[in-house]
Amino acid sequence: MSRRCELTGKGPMVGNNVSHANNKTKRRFIPNLNDVTLQSETLGRGVKLRISASALRTVDHRGGLDAFLAKAKDDELSPRALKVKREIAAAQSAEA
């Protein structure tokens, strides 16, 4: 399973552990990923995604999954999230 956020594209980073004696050893910084089901008001159903905790806070801040995906760049989204974004756009255009 990929260690990449489906909404923000956030992935593992590399860096160093630095001891008190200033010894440096390589390490990985893994994003805090959670399996969540976000509700889409437009589609009227839940969408299961694997997203980072910071992305979950951003989704809440922007007013839900629909509003987040409307502002999100396509190149940052996973193929599954991009499919949901297109479904939401199609449903909103059908309503109008």
Side-chain angles (χ1 to χ4, degrees), residues 3-12 31-34 38 49-59 62 65 68-69 71-79 81-82:
R3 295 186 187 271
R4 189 159 295 277
C5 176
E6 293 192 83
L7 294 182
T8 60
K10 185 179 288 193
N32 182 11
L33 297 179
N34 299 296
L38 298 172
L49 295 169
R50 186 171 160 97
I51 64 173
S52 63
S54 62
L56 183 58
R57 289 197 312 270
T58 306
V59 168
R62 288 194 185 167
L65 180 64
F68 180 90
L69 288 175
K71 281 183 131 180
K73 296 178 183 172
D74 289 353
D75 57 330
E76 290 180 351
L77 298 174
S78 71
L82 196 56

Side-chain angles (χ1 to χ4, degrees), residues 79-95:
R80 241 174 29 171
L82 196 56
K83 182 180 174 191
V84 172
K85 180 179 179 176
R86 290 190 183 123
E87 286 177 19
I88 290 171
Q92 286 174 343
S93 65
E95 284 178 7

Side-chain angles (χ1 to χ4, degrees), residues 9-46:
K10 185 179 288 193
M13 295 173 58
V14 293
N16 289 310
N17 278 334
V18 181
S19 70
H20 185 67
N22 207 27
N23 298 328
K24 295 170 183 72
T25 55
K26 282 289 189 185
R27 63 160 291 181
R28 284 172 43 128
F29 294 93
I30 306 295
N32 182 11
L33 297 179
N34 299 296
D35 293 314
V36 296
T37 303
L38 298 172
Q39 296 298 320
S40 170
E41 291 98 29
T42 307
L43 299 178
R45 63 178 171 89

